Amino acid sequence: MADLPFSPPDPFRVPLAAALDRERKLDRALDALGPVAAQEVVLIGGGPRETAHWRGTGAQVTLVDSLLDPAGALLPGASADMILSSWTAFRGVDPAELAAADRVLRPAGRLLIVHDYGRDDVSGLRGDLPEYGAWSRRNGPFLANGFRVRVVHCFWTFDSIEDAQALLAGAFGDAGVAFGRDLKRPRLSWNVAIYHRTRGGEAGDATAFDPGCAAAT
């Protein structure tokens, strides 16, 4: 799992990653939907922070950049309990990518895909992205292909308002400067969507949302 949903300049990458979801709400939600801990897991584009976390839970982790590149194509069939992808893969639903996931998963295996959901502070920094609208609709690429969605309400938390202002300015330029100027507390709201599906999930289940989840628009 990539540690960040975007690629800031190098000096800001590590401190920004440290600010994301200090409460580890996202990890707990992923484990509840999986589980991930103590499973045989394929991480797509895994970053060092998340890879270390899941290995620390006893998961047997295999890292690939894509299920469609040569390394992904060499994964044995029916070999994984879980495929976990964040930010970089499944940019929408590519039928070839979904078929590759079903090939690698065991019969009851789980596919979890993490993307930004929007309707939060962070989306004001990143501009207009398909994650913030089209992907989460009932007729969008995920919910129309047998996925359900859980929205996790997380935060970017900084040590001080001054730290937040400096990091946002460095990572987002003028947009970060403008946003930081109005900060009243050292954190930003950040909503994250987990699209989840059991191997071979039926499209008829797509609009059955988890209890308590934010509804797609």
Side-chain angles (χ1 to χ4, degrees):
M1 178 191 289
D3 288 336
L4 288 165
F6 62 101
S7 297
D10 284 339
F12 306 103
R13 191 165 298 164
V14 172
L16 275 175
L20 269 62
D21 190 25
R22 291 186 179 181
E23 299 85 0
R24 311 297 302 211
K25 289 183 178 182
L26 183 54
D27 290 337
R28 292 196 297 274
L30 288 166
D31 205 32
L33 289 169
V36 186
Q39 302 296 300
E40 292 192 48
V41 179
V42 174
L43 287 187
I44 301 177
R49 179 172 175 262
E50 294 303 319
T51 301
H53 170 76
W54 291 118
R55 283 178 170 158
T57 70
Q60 302 298 308
V61 175
T62 300
L63 288 168
V64 296
D65 291 330
S66 167
L67 294 176
L68 300 179
D69 69 11
L74 288 174
L75 291 170
S79 62
D81 301 307
M82 166 73 56
I83 295 173
L84 180 53
S85 169
S86 290
W87 325 126
T88 56
F90 290 94
R91 306 285 303 164
V93 176
D94 177 345
E97 210 169 18
L98 192 57
D102 283 348
R103 180 189 71 80
V104 171
L105 287 169
R106 295 189 171 114
R110 298 280 285 156
L111 173 60
L112 272 59
I113 299 170
V114 179
H115 287 299
D116 277 12
Y117 183 77
R119 295 79 159 172
D120 57 14
D121 291 336
V122 172
S123 60
L125 290 165
R126 299 196 61 207
D128 186 19
L129 300 175
E131 290 95 315
Y132 298 154
W135 288 0
S136 59
R137 294 188 181 118
R138 292 179 182 272
N139 62 349
F142 291 101
L143 302 185
N145 279 284
F147 288 87
R148 298 182 181 213
V149 61
R150 177 170 295 181
V151 179
V152 186
H153 303 286
C154 303
F155 297 95
W156 292 10
T157 304
F158 303 91
D159 293 333
S160 68
I161 289 178
E162 292 74 20
D163 284 345
Q165 290 171 329
L167 285 169
L168 295 177
F172 296 100
D174 290 344
V177 171
F179 190 94
R181 191 180 298 126
D182 296 328
L183 278 179
K184 300 296 189 294
R185 59 181 182 174
R187 73 177 188 178
L188 281 64
S189 61
W190 182 42
N191 296 331
V192 182
I194 305 173
Y195 299 100
H196 58 100
R197 180 184 192 267
T198 300
R199 180 184 182 274
E202 295 295 331
D205 295 332
T207 57
F209 288 85
D210 290 333
C213 293
T217 57

